[in-house]
Amino acid sequence: MPGLFDLSGRRALVTGSSQGIGLALAKGLAEAGAQVILNGRNRDKLAEAAATIPGAETLPFDVADHEAARAAIDFAESTQGPIDILVNNAGIQHRAPLEDFPPDAFERLLQTNIASVFHVGQACARHMIGRGRGRIVNVASVNAAMARYSIAPYTATKGAVVNLTKGMATDWARHGLNCNAIAPGYIRTPLNAALWSDPTFNDWLTRRTPAGRWAEPEELVGACVFLASDAASFVNGHVLYVDGGITACL
């Protein structure tokens, strides 16, 4: 049944894809046959990332800016072709005790982690609805289901991503769109460098996770390709946890 997972002839936009999970997902989608479009704000980093994927395009814009997102996606649609797959991956982290959490950091988390999913999702969906088809894959987190000390606002944003995903499916499934989310566990990425480089936290996590280790970004590719493909044609509003079993146990 390899044809079910074949993304040949489809174009995929991955936000926050100059490094880490986003770049790994873009490479995986490309290997499945998709033409990928990388997004970020740093043009130089995007160009370096695109050079590692044959045929990759870049679309630099700030996902937290509604008008910029809509203008960039409208431009790409009109000049380069339809965006068939959207992966909303852009995200940031800030760690601090909740009683001392800076309000400006809280606002940045809201804008980057959740408002961007609305901005870019709506801009792409307006075109997808007209074509009667499209795939949206939002990147949430195990922290949508579980809290951990010092990241309460991040937890709130990822819980919101899960519920916005369900709302997207509820509104847009009737138009032929499939809207789902991936909830990664603890992945060895630059965003988590402060954690995986800390021996105490590393020891706690490996003991807490049934798989006994961190995941690598590439281990999210299969879930993303599945949700972007015809194999998931009747999967909608679903959250797929890729976490080594951490949400399955106490």
Side-chain angles (χ1 to χ4, degrees):
M1 309 253 292
L4 284 176
F5 300 93
D6 184 6
L7 301 180
S8 298
R10 303 181 195 184
R11 299 178 73 245
L13 169 64
V14 184
T15 68
S17 50
S18 62
Q19 64 179 1
I21 288 174
L23 181 55
L25 295 180
K27 288 180 176 178
L29 292 167
E31 289 172 2
Q35 170 76 38
V36 297
I37 309 165
L38 307 185
N39 159 262
R41 291 181 297 176
N42 187 315
R43 292 175 181 269
D44 292 337
K45 286 183 68 175
L46 276 182
E48 291 175 10
T52 68
I53 305 174
E57 303 170 8
T58 62
L59 190 64
F61 65 90
D62 183 356
V63 295
D65 183 329
H66 183 85
E67 294 303 324
R70 184 166 182 179
I73 287 161
D74 287 351
F75 174 79
E77 284 267 349
S78 64
T79 62
Q80 298 169 322
I83 295 171
D84 306 292
I85 301 161
L86 166 65
V87 181
N88 273 312
N89 166 77
I92 60 172
Q93 176 63 287
H94 187 97
R95 299 178 180 91
L98 186 57
E99 66 272 19
D100 299 320
F101 208 92
D104 60 335
F106 182 72
E107 289 298 327
R108 286 196 301 273
L109 283 166
L110 291 177
Q111 292 304 312
T112 305
N113 292 5
I114 180 61
S116 71
V117 177
F118 166 75
H119 299 326
V120 185
Q122 184 190 69
C124 286
R126 290 175 185 271
H127 296 279
M128 291 174 174
I129 287 170
R131 293 189 287 268
R133 57 183 171 80
R135 295 286 195 275
I136 296 177
V137 181
N138 299 323
V139 178
S141 168
V142 292
N143 294 119
M146 306 185 304
R148 187 174 60 75
Y149 173 73
S150 80
I151 60 167
Y154 178 84
T155 300
T157 64
K158 292 302 183 178
V161 169
V162 165
N163 277 338
L164 183 54
T165 300
K166 294 177 181 180
M168 287 177 169
T170 301
D171 276 28
W172 296 338
R174 71 194 70 188
H175 299 295
L177 277 62
N178 293 73
C179 307
N180 297 286
I182 301 170
Y186 284 81
I187 315 294
R188 196 182 297 272
T189 66
L191 188 68
N192 284 326
L195 302 181
W196 53 257
S197 61
D198 179 347
T200 300
F201 186 89
N202 187 68
D203 181 63
W204 171 82
L205 180 69
T206 54
R207 287 186 290 106
R208 173 69 179 81
T209 305
R213 63 178 177 84
W214 290 77
E216 298 300 326
E218 292 74 18
E219 292 182 281
L220 297 173
V221 167
C224 186
V225 170
F226 164 64
L227 293 175
S229 74
D230 292 341
S233 61
F234 204 59
V235 180
N236 234 323
H238 180 69
V239 182
L240 178 52
Y241 285 87
V242 186
D243 64 1
I246 199 169
T247 54
C249 66
L250 291 172

